[in-house]
Amino acid sequence: MCKALITGGIALFFLSACNSGSNKSFELDKDKSFASIKLSTDLETKHLSELVETVEVIRLEETSQSLVSSVRDLELSEEYLVFPDSRYNDVFVFDHLGNFVTKWNHQGQGPREYHNIQDIWLEGDTVAVYARGKAVLRYTIDGKFLNSEAIEYQADHIRPYDGGYFLDMNFNAIDDTLTFKAVVLDSNLSRVDELLAVKSFSKVAFYSDISAVMTSGNTILYMAMLTDTVYQYHKGELSPRFHFDFGEEWFWEDESRNTENYYERIMNETQPKVHSLSAKIGKQYLYLFANQAMAGFQKYLIDHRNNRAVMLKKYTLKSMKYGVSILNWSEGLLIGAISSYELEEWLSSIDKSQIAFSGTATLEEIESSENPVLLKIRLKESSEW
């Protein structure tokens, strides 16, 4: 979803967290080079359930301490599923069977506290939290404070890289005179690289809580706001890896990203165009979220080994209000979440032999819970899409 707030003549556009999360580290095929993938908003459409080879259903145990409003930024370790609650900034920990382990919250203004959870990731069983414009704070899996590193930049999203950090600056200035899309810090938190210079200040503030920074082994994958290209950054070199070619359906006419009269332009669009993209990239497949501003959004699944792509149908049945939120990729599996009351209908188009329930949970038990449900989906080969 795209939300717009007009204040003082400046429009703020925000991509919602309905498809939020980050990638467990994986290694892309190093033998495959740059790929340009042709896409369209008129592409062949499929329901996600039609692309399922197998699905594991994980109920999130509901107790008085484990009431979950939504799942975002899901991170996976060998033992745990870890994610923040977007409403209260709680951090939840479950095991892989969906059993509740713990919940903690250190929101506040103190040196060991975060004022928000902008990003979260795991370093082994250490939970790292990025509080925007403040610090990266680290806690044990049960919430005990370990250490923090002050981050002086107003980065939208960050990820650890080579002992330091890779920062998505979006349109935020580094200082009074420098504006770049991304900055790299070394282990001393000193700036060692600036990437993708911004030529002019945007009159529109764009923000997405879908992280623009992903990790592939010891390489960063980065998709800056308002670009149609995923870059890879490795050993000081930035190069394009994936380009999403929407042709004349792409809103921005050139690399200047001229935002003059942006709001008026999109209100007067006769044919909705794609304004911004967010990607979640796995070892074989990628998920692409295409924002068409006032016209809504489109979602794509792409096999980046052969560039085969399908557009995911939007659920229109009355009980299917939200459908599956895509969270992550893990060991070749697509990780998603769905509300408990939508689960039965979503599963109804999948053969029972393809469905497994984790632990001792049953469909009846899951439907009686208010907690969302996690899905581990193995996709069919793209030749079967």
Side-chain angles (χ1 to χ4, degrees), residues 22 33 35 44 55 84 119 128 184 215 224 242 263 265 275 340 380:
S22 57
S33 56
E44 175 188 6
V55 57
D119 289 317
V184 182
T215 304
F242 301 111
Y263 189 68
R265 289 163 63 195
H275 295 241
S340 58
K380 296 176 181 178

Side-chain angles (χ1 to χ4, degrees), residues 163-281:
Y165 296 99
F166 187 103
L167 280 59
D168 167 36
M169 296 302 298
N170 199 349
F171 288 96
N172 301 309
I174 297 173
D175 55 32
D176 292 337
T177 59
L178 295 175
T179 307
F180 291 87
K181 288 292 183 88
V183 168
V184 182
L185 306 181
D186 65 14
S187 58
N188 296 316
L189 304 183
S190 299
R191 194 167 75 236
V192 293
D193 213 347
E194 300 97 10
L195 308 167
L196 302 174
V198 177
K199 297 179 181 178
S200 61
F201 177 75
S202 173
K203 295 184 179 180
V204 184
F206 293 87
Y207 169 74
S208 173
D209 67 352
I210 304 171
S211 180
V213 189
M214 297 155 278
T215 304
S216 172
N218 58 359
T219 298
I220 290 290
L221 298 174
Y222 177 55
M223 189 169 196
M225 183 66 73
L226 308 188
T227 65
D228 56 3
T229 301
V230 175
Y231 294 88
Q232 60 184 20
Y233 183 80
H234 180 66
K235 295 183 177 179
E237 296 293 329
L238 183 76
S239 59
R241 182 62 191 264
F242 301 111
H243 170 242
F244 305 111
D245 182 5
F246 281 89
E248 294 184 357
E249 292 183 279
W250 182 240
F251 179 82
W252 304 102
E253 297 175 356
D254 56 50
E255 288 299 317
S256 68
R257 306 294 188 265
N258 181 9
T259 57
E260 189 74 30
N261 300 320
Y262 175 77
Y263 189 68
E264 290 78 9
R265 289 163 63 195
I266 64 172
M267 290 296 291
N268 293 323
E269 278 186 332
T270 56
Q271 182 65 37
K273 295 189 175 185
V274 176
H275 295 241
S276 63
L277 299 168
S278 296
K280 300 178 188 299
I281 302 171

Side-chain angles (χ1 to χ4, degrees), residues 41-75:
T41 56
D42 293 325
L43 202 65
E44 175 188 6
T45 60
K46 297 272 189 178
H47 283 303
L48 176 60
S49 57
E50 297 179 73
L51 310 179
V52 172
E53 181 69 32
T54 60
V55 57
E56 179 185 357
V57 180
I58 305 174
R59 68 91 174 91
L60 296 178
E61 181 185 8
E62 183 180 318
T63 71
S64 60
Q65 296 297 311
S66 65
L67 297 176
V68 178
S69 64
S70 63
V71 180
R72 73 174 183 90
D73 290 341
L74 177 70
E75 292 289 325

